[in-house]
């Protein structure tokens, strides 16, 4: 095999590894993301527990970076204390090291089984949760396949005359090897993928143990740098968690690099082979960082936040602008594009409202309740301005196609405004009633509401996409999602009445609150589903009636 072909095969295997790792992560995020964010708020109250939860999340996401970004966003929004979020990030670093160890076990039979099972599940159902489970299994199988391909592609490197020169140079210059590894891990956007590559090369005898440990330490620095760069545009409260993690984890990597030559036999107790020593060293390093840095998490986060807040530019409160430019009313295509932009802004406000309201059920906050009410006022104002703008546009002369698009945008705006009214009036009233009267749902009842809300948020995003894309496939998916929501709503009601008949409901008033919330979530979902109808009607896919009429002979 020529040198170019060898590098091409190795690059392809690494690309598959990166894609498969991302596939598993997105599958987990899509399957449980909204529920996960709400449950973490209560679970991360204790630093030790936060570290354990971070490790478990890293095992699920197969990425410490994804967990780091999730926790930093919660800290930035004030839902989780910064020190607890940093403790979770430290635990996630250890969890990602365990992921590397698990993926290097002999799983030759697991790979085809995961690929077959994942493909069958993904293709045989339309249920979102099962499809994401199939995606996760396919991703896990592809990770194992990529590791095999890396091993096969790197096998000819044993006989390379150039590679020993590079390895020899890096082995004699640990600082350069450390920096190269950090850059590679950052470029991969996955320390898991980079460490797996180092282990695969060490397994083939291409990298000695001492160099492998240096590369592992550099990979940890690069892995901590990823979340810092991805969150660089966020507010200081969000940036503080990944930056403090970089200071602790990256600083420990630099100290370990300096101390590595001072140890008499640093690799003897880590294992018999170079690959085993890299794996065990990776786990030992991250475990030591988590244990030693955990007591410092709160102070480290506070110090980094103070530095970021001091250097951050002062916030400027800008009133939201409008895209409704009167100067383009003579050009209907531009005017309609402006209306679309304004409607998309309403979609963003409504999504924020819906996501916030369900959190208020658990943790009421007067400031956030007022913020939701202000969002509803902004939606009402945008709705009114859009109607006036479209009226002026109609008087300027539009063709049939443009007139139809005007009607679609107006109908979408009305549906979104009504959904906002239900969220700000009905759901906020339920929040106030629940906490003013000290009501609480049963664990089963609350989980039903959380599950319904998660379905609503997924359907809402489909509806928002239909407004912009007018895509037939997305519109059909939204209608099918409405049917799934209706089935889930019926199931939740049946389970509720079952508990009521068994005297499992804590009070009649709690039962009323539960059923009222279900009703309002369904109403919002139905309003959003109407956004698909104009697209389907245009394609002739919308029936004139959903009624099943009797035959004339049986009337």
């Amino acid at each position: 095999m020529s040198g170019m072909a060898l590098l091409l095969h190795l690059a392809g295997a690494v690309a598959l590894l990166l894609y498969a790792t991302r596939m598993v992560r997105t599958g987990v995020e899509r399957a449980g993301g909204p529920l996960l964010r709400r449950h973490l708020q209560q679970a991360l109250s204790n630093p030790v527990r936060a570290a354990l939860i971070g490790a478990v999340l890293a095992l699920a996401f197969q990425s410490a970076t994804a967990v780091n970004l999730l926790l930093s966003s919660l800290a930035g929004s004030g839902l989780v204390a910064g020190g607890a979020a940093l403790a979770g990030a430290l635990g996630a670093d250890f969890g990602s090291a365990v992921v590397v160890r698990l993926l290097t076990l002999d799983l030759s039979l697991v790979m085809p089984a995961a690929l077959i099972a994942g493909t069958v599940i993904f293709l045989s159902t339309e249920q979102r949760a099962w499809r994401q489970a199939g995606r996760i299994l396919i991703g896990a199988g592809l990770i194992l396949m990529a590791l095999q391909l890396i091993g096969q592609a790197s096998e000819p490197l044993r006989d390379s005359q150039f590679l020993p020169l590079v390895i020899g140079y890096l082995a004699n210059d640990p600082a350069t090897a450390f920096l190269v590894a950090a850059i590679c891990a950052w470029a991969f956007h996955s320390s898991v993928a980079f460490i797996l590559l180092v282990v695969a090369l060490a397994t083939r005898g291409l990298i000695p143990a001492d160099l492998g440990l240096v590369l592992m330490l550099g990979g940890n620095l690069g892995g901590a740098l990823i979340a810092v760069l991805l969150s660089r545009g966020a507010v200081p409260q969000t940036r503080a968690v990944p930056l403090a993690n970089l200071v602790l984890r990256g600083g420990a990597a630099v100290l370990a690099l300096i101390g590595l030559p001072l140890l008499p036999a640093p690799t003897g107790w880590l294992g018999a082979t170079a690959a085993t020593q890299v794996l065990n060293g990776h786990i030992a390093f991250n475990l030591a960082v988590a244990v030693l840095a955990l007591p410092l998490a709160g102070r480290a986060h506070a110090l980094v936040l103070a530095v970021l807040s001091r250097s951050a530019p002062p916030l400027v409160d800008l009133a939201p602008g409008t895209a409704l430019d009167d100067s383009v009313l003579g050009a209907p295509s531009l005017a309609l594009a402006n209306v679309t932009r304004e409607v998309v802004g309403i979609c963003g406000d409504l999504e924020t409202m819906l996501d916030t309201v369900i959190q208020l059920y658990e943790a009421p906050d007067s400031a956030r309740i007022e913020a939701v009410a202000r969002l509803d006022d902004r939606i009402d104002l945008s709705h009114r301005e859009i109607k006036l703008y479209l009226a002026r546009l109609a008087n300027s002369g539009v063709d049939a196609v443009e007139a139809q698009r005007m009607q679609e945008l107006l109908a979408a705006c009305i549906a979104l405004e009504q959904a906002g009214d239900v969220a700000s009036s009905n759901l906020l009233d339920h929040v106030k009633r629940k906490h003013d009267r000290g009501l609480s749902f049963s664990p089963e009842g609350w989980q039903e509401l959380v599950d319904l809300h998660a379905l609503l948020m997924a359907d809402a995003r489909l509806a928002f996409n239909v407004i912009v894309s007018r895509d037939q496939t997305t519109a059909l998916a939204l209608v099918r999602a409405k049917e799934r929501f209706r089935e889930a709503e019926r199931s939740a009601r049946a389970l509720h009445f079952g508990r009521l008949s068994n005297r499992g409901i804590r009070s009649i008033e709690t039962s009323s609150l539960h059923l009222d919330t279900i009703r309002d979530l369904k109403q919002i979902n139905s309003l959003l589903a109407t956004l698909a109808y104009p697209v389907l009607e245009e394609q002739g896919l919308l029936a004139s009636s959903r009624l099943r009429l009797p035959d004339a002979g049986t009337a």
Side-chain angles (χ1 to χ4, degrees):
M1 183 183 295
S2 66
M4 183 59 69
L6 188 151
L7 291 176
L8 186 61
H9 279 79
L10 184 59
V14 171
L16 179 61
L17 178 62
L18 294 175
Y19 174 76
T21 303
R22 179 180 177 83
M23 189 175 184
V24 172
R25 183 170 68 250
T26 54
V28 175
E29 289 172 347
R30 292 176 184 177
L35 300 180
L36 190 61
R37 292 173 64 90
R38 284 190 284 275
H39 291 312
L40 284 178
Q41 182 181 355
Q42 295 179 338
L44 296 177
S45 57
N46 178 274
V48 176
R49 187 167 58 186
L52 294 175
I53 292 174
V56 172
L57 290 177
L59 288 171
F61 283 87
Q62 297 195 359
S63 170
T65 300
V67 178
N68 202 328
L69 292 173
L70 172 63
L71 296 176
S72 64
S73 67
L74 293 175
S77 61
L79 297 178
V80 172
L86 178 57
L90 294 170
D93 296 335
F94 171 69
S96 70
V98 175
V99 168
V100 174
R101 186 67 185 92
L102 294 175
L103 292 175
T104 54
L105 298 175
D106 183 11
L107 302 173
S108 55
L109 295 179
V110 174
M111 180 192 72
L115 289 173
I116 293 172
T119 302
V120 170
I121 293 173
F122 188 84
L123 296 179
S124 62
T125 180
E126 291 294 331
Q127 294 185 12
R128 179 182 177 87
W130 280 105
R131 286 176 67 87
Q132 298 311 322
R135 183 189 299 273
I136 294 169
L137 287 174
I138 294 172
L142 290 178
I143 288 176
L144 300 176
M145 178 185 292
L147 293 175
Q148 288 189 3
L149 293 176
I150 290 174
Q152 296 170 7
S154 60
E155 189 67 29
L157 292 175
R158 291 175 181 268
D159 303 324
S160 170
Q161 297 179 352
F162 176 72
L163 185 64
L165 299 176
V166 177
I167 297 298
Y169 175 78
L170 293 178
N172 293 324
D173 190 354
T176 300
F178 180 82
L179 291 177
V180 168
I183 293 172
C184 289
W186 167 78
F188 282 13
H189 268 48
S190 172
S191 61
V192 170
F194 175 74
I195 301 297
L196 285 172
L197 176 61
V198 173
V199 171
L201 296 177
T203 302
R204 296 300 190 277
L206 301 173
I207 294 179
D210 291 342
L211 177 58
L213 289 175
V214 172
L215 295 176
M216 176 271 296
L217 293 173
N220 276 275
L221 173 63
L225 185 62
I226 299 170
V228 173
L229 295 179
L230 290 177
S231 61
R232 62 186 180 276
V235 297
Q237 289 78 4
T238 298
R239 295 167 55 203
V241 174
L243 186 56
N245 183 61
L246 173 63
V247 171
L248 295 174
R249 185 183 179 192
V254 173
L255 292 176
L257 177 68
I258 297 173
L260 201 58
L262 304 179
L263 298 176
T267 60
W269 54 275
L270 290 176
T273 65
T276 304
Q277 290 167 8
V278 172
L279 287 169
N280 293 338
H282 186 41
I283 293 176
F285 169 76
N286 282 283
L287 178 60
V289 172
V291 172
L292 296 177
L294 197 59
L296 306 175
R299 294 183 179 179
H301 177 270
L303 179 61
V304 171
L305 180 59
V307 173
L308 290 175
S309 300
R310 191 179 302 118
S311 60
L315 295 176
V316 179
D317 188 15
L318 296 177
T322 178
L324 305 179
D325 184 5
D326 287 345
S327 66
V328 299
L329 285 174
S333 60
L334 295 178
L336 288 173
N338 288 342
V339 175
T340 303
R341 287 171 53 196
E342 196 73 10
V343 173
V344 168
I346 294 178
C347 292
D349 289 342
L350 179 60
E351 182 175 9
T352 302
M353 289 175 63
L354 295 177
D355 192 44
T356 304
V357 165
I358 197 68
Q359 298 171 16
L360 292 173
Y361 269 79
E362 288 188 292
D365 178 78
S366 57
R368 299 179 76 197
I369 290 175
E370 292 176 2
V372 171
R374 287 195 299 271
L375 280 178
D376 183 56
D377 292 340
R378 194 160 78 189
I379 290 176
D380 291 342
L381 177 61
S382 297
H383 172 228
R384 184 167 59 252
E385 294 298 326
I386 287 173
K387 286 194 299 183
L388 295 175
Y389 189 80
L390 288 176
R392 292 195 297 272
L393 177 60
N395 293 329
S396 64
V398 293
D399 59 27
V401 175
E402 292 163 346
Q404 180 181 356
R405 180 59 174 162
M406 287 175 54
Q407 293 300 321
E408 289 180 16
L409 290 172
L410 181 59
C413 187
I414 293 173
L416 293 172
E417 191 266 342
Q418 291 175 346
D421 287 343
V422 175
S424 64
S425 298
N426 297 11
L427 292 179
L428 277 187
D429 285 345
H430 302 335
V431 167
K432 295 173 184 177
R433 175 156 57 108
K434 177 178 183 294
H435 294 288
D436 289 346
R437 302 182 185 181
L439 304 176
S440 61
F441 298 116
S442 67
E444 300 85 358
W446 174 240
Q447 188 61 50
E448 290 163 10
L449 294 180
V450 169
D451 291 344
L452 276 178
H453 180 268
L455 287 176
L456 173 62
M457 294 303 295
D459 294 354
R461 296 184 183 101
L462 281 176
F464 301 156
N465 290 338
V466 169
I467 293 175
V468 178
S469 67
R470 302 191 77 255
D471 176 62
Q472 175 184 322
T473 303
T474 307
L476 287 171
L478 177 58
V479 173
R480 295 191 183 101
K482 178 186 177 182
E483 295 300 324
R484 287 196 296 270
F485 188 93
R486 181 182 288 110
E487 293 174 2
E489 178 258 340
R490 290 171 179 167
S491 175
R493 286 182 181 274
L495 291 172
H496 176 82
F497 284 119
R499 291 192 301 274
L500 184 62
S501 62
N502 294 327
R503 300 177 180 266
I505 304 301
R506 301 185 180 184
S507 71
I508 295 299
E509 194 168 14
T510 302
S511 174
S512 174
L513 182 65
H514 186 276
L515 294 175
D516 288 346
T517 301
I518 291 177
R519 177 203 62 204
D520 293 330
L521 293 177
K522 179 185 177 182
Q523 183 179 358
I524 294 173
N525 188 271
S526 298
L527 287 167
L528 295 176
T530 61
L531 302 182
Y533 296 162
V535 177
L536 299 181
E537 185 176 15
E538 181 180 327
Q539 301 295 325
L541 299 175
L542 191 66
S544 59
S545 173
R546 295 181 60 233
L547 294 176
R548 184 171 298 171
L549 299 176
D551 295 334
T554 61

